[in-house]
Amino acid sequence: MTSTTPSVDVEVSVGALRGITTDGIHRFLGIPYAQPPIGDLRFAAPQPREAWEGVREATAFGPAAPQTAYPGEIGELLPSVDGWGEDMLTVNVWAPADATAAPVVLWLHGGALERGSASLSGYDGSTFARDGIVFASINYRLGSEGFSVLDGAPLNLGLRDAALALEWVHREIAAFGGDPSRITLMGESAGGALVAALLSRPESARLVAGGIIESGPLEAVAPAKAAAVTRGLAASLGVPATAAAFREVAPERLLQARTDQAKGRSALSGAPSFQLALDPDFLPRSPHEALAEGDVPLLIGTNTDEYRLWFPPAALDAISPVKALLARAALRLPRRAVAAARADAPDASPGEVLGQLLTDRLLRAPLTAVASSRPATTYVFEFAWQSPVRDLRAAHAVELGFVFDNVGERASVSLSGPEAPQELATEMHRAWVSFITDADPGWEPFGAQRLTRIFDTGTRTEPQRRTGVVDALA
């Protein structure tokens, strides 16, 4: 039976907040950590929130950043945000009612840097708070608003939002019972990329005790390359790629231009995507280089069949041997890596081999290079449980319901089906809680033996699998 207390108040540096308590967990939602990025602050660096008078209600999520729903078949699997608004730069906190100097985790959601929100039900922090952790999550600017490359605007605005939010958590989390010296950053997909980027910045890394990266790309690219999306949008809109010009374009019009730009294109056809850009003032080194020298414990991993979320079965079947050959040539995939991928899965179709190669180049090869070279303790995992839904198998994002221990939640059921094993969710969630609490998830660190935790119906620790491909891609 759910027990709810009408309200609970806390005081942060800019004012008082009123949340609610349910089953021994305090919940504060929609707390602004920055000024709304509108008017002159649109396409500008985030500014700390000004103080307010009185008690601010913190019982509902803040609005999401401007975005559109996922298109096509992927939209049937991943939840979308119903609406968005101006006051989007907010943080949410779930805390045990009796928390005192408790470990803290800051969650950064994924969505290819252009979709997602902390308000999605699959990201509810109650299960972490239940297990003694103060759980915080944030919204940050997305898509054109957060990752355009414009004259007159700072680069990586969404990342700058996340950095400011981390500063907010470090400064304010003690009011909720958290220990600011025990903050673990945690993110999946694009959120994992942001975690990697924050850990690459000394100014942010000094505020962090550990990091968790699930299926996160680790590379930041040159601004000229990151600008491909922006150049295309500016051309289609008939405006220069400047902050002043883009401020005159309504968010709805930018979203429509982006929809038109991506229509009918895929990863194989060269669809431009938003990317983190190298920036001498804010992100001077690519995370895949800086992380190799990092000094905080890291838990990092991927899913066995990441690509199966992005390529539905019909799309994989449509990739003929000739089309796969042309794609491999265009992507400059080494022949040795192709041969190793075929040897690992001799019965796989050309599309499946190509999809695995793309996964390994984007995620597993950079992960392996980082884990092999960094001096700090690094734990590696591979999520391998096979979802029966749409032949997803262990696709991108399927692990989320297990990490959050909510495999019965609607978004998780959409990816994993109604009979996902609770015992695996219990085990995986416990490992994440252990890492956040004690910097040790319960298995041996990655080292010369490349020990990796394989999360499956028979979870085990063994040397990294399919090393021929990742070594050929190094």
Side-chain angles (χ1 to χ4, degrees):
M1 182 177 179
T2 300
S3 173
T4 301
T5 301
S7 64
V8 57
D9 292 357
V10 300
E11 188 85 25
V12 295
S13 63
V14 289
L17 295 164
R18 177 161 297 154
I20 59 173
T21 303
T22 302
D23 293 337
I25 296 172
H26 294 329
R27 183 174 67 174
F28 297 85
L29 307 178
I31 309 165
Y33 66 83
Q35 293 294 106
I38 57 175
D40 291 341
L41 292 181
R42 192 177 176 212
F43 300 109
Q47 299 300 309
R49 189 67 174 213
E50 296 175 355
W52 58 79
E53 296 182 358
V55 179
R56 183 185 179 96
E57 291 292 326
T59 57
F61 289 105
Q67 61 191 278
T68 58
Y70 286 99
E73 291 189 47
I74 195 171
E76 300 172 7
L77 297 170
L78 297 182
S80 296
V81 178
D82 290 334
W84 46 270
E86 295 178 342
D87 201 358
M88 66 192 80
L89 301 183
T90 58
V91 60
N92 316 290
V93 178
W94 289 257
D98 59 353
T100 302
V104 179
V105 65
L106 173 56
W107 166 252
L108 305 180
H109 70 79
L113 299 178
E114 59 180 320
R115 293 184 173 90
S117 171
S119 64
L120 293 173
S121 59
Y123 304 150
D124 187 287
S126 298
T127 55
F128 284 94
R130 174 199 68 195
D131 293 328
I133 290 168
V134 176
F135 182 97
S137 63
I138 66 163
N139 283 348
Y140 53 92
R141 278 175 284 184
L142 300 170
S144 298
E145 307 287 333
F147 296 95
S148 289
V149 178
L150 299 167
D151 288 341
L155 295 167
N156 303 312
L157 289 173
L159 175 62
R160 291 170 184 265
D161 295 341
L164 186 63
L166 171 60
E167 293 174 11
W168 186 98
V169 171
H170 188 266
R171 182 176 64 250
E172 310 290 2
I173 206 65
F176 303 88
D179 184 345
S181 71
R182 301 175 69 191
I183 298 172
T184 297
L185 290 175
M186 170 179 163
E188 184 266 347
S189 192
L194 295 181
V195 169
L198 291 174
L199 292 176
S200 302
R201 301 185 65 250
E203 303 90 338
S204 298
R206 66 180 177 80
L207 307 179
V208 175
I212 301 175
I213 300 173
E214 301 169 31
S215 305
L218 302 181
E219 184 180 8
V221 301
K225 184 175 181 180
V229 174
T230 308
R231 287 195 300 267
L233 292 176
S236 67
L237 292 166
V239 301
T242 67
F246 268 49
R247 285 191 190 104
E248 298 300 316
V249 180
E252 295 88 348
R253 191 176 171 210
L254 273 176
L255 290 172
Q256 184 58 56
R258 173 60 178 158
T259 298
D260 295 340
Q261 182 185 51
K263 188 176 297 181
R265 305 177 77 177
S266 70
L268 291 181
S269 60
S273 59
F274 290 102
Q275 299 181 77
L276 292 173
L278 291 170
D279 177 3
D281 297 325
F282 198 80
L283 188 63
R285 299 182 67 193
S286 179
H288 79 280
E289 298 174 348
L291 279 180
E293 303 168 4
D295 60 359
V296 301
L298 183 65
L299 173 60
I300 186 169
T302 62
N303 296 356
T304 304
D305 309 292
E306 300 271 5
Y307 67 96
R308 300 189 79 88
L309 177 68
W310 308 314
F311 298 105
L316 291 173
D317 292 342
I319 298 174
S320 66
V322 172
K323 185 180 290 187
L325 176 63
L326 294 173
R328 293 195 302 267
L331 296 168
R332 298 181 180 178
L333 295 172
R335 290 183 180 179
R336 189 160 62 95
V338 176
R342 286 173 173 160
D344 287 336
D347 297 326
S349 70
E352 289 171 327
V353 171
L354 180 61
Q356 192 62 58
L357 285 163
L358 291 173
T359 291
D360 290 344
R361 188 171 77 170
L362 177 67
L363 299 174
R364 281 212 315 140
L367 174 160
T368 302
V370 165
S372 297
S373 59
R374 68 192 313 265
T377 305
T378 303
Y379 300 92
V380 174
F381 73 90
E382 179 181 336
F383 179 80
W385 180 79
Q386 304 283 289
S387 169
V389 175
R390 206 203 67 179
D391 200 23
L392 285 172
R393 304 179 197 176
H396 193 69
V398 173
E399 91 288 352
L400 285 171
F402 296 83
V403 167
F404 278 80
D405 192 15
N406 60 7
V407 289
E409 192 273 330
R410 183 177 61 180
S412 182
V413 170
S414 176
L415 290 171
S416 304
E419 298 181 1
Q422 176 57 48
E423 59 272 21
L424 180 57
T426 299
E427 180 181 31
M428 200 167 182
H429 177 74
R430 185 189 301 123
W432 264 237
V433 168
S434 179
F435 181 82
I436 295 164
T437 303
D438 299 316
D440 184 352
W443 66 87
E444 291 297 310
F446 196 85
Q449 292 182 285
R450 298 187 178 188
L451 292 179
T452 303
R453 188 69 165 174
I454 310 297
F455 284 100
D456 203 343
T457 49
T459 295
R460 59 208 181 273
T461 303
E462 62 183 44
Q464 186 183 41
R465 306 190 296 181
R466 306 180 310 284
T467 56
V469 180
V470 295
D471 290 348
L473 292 168

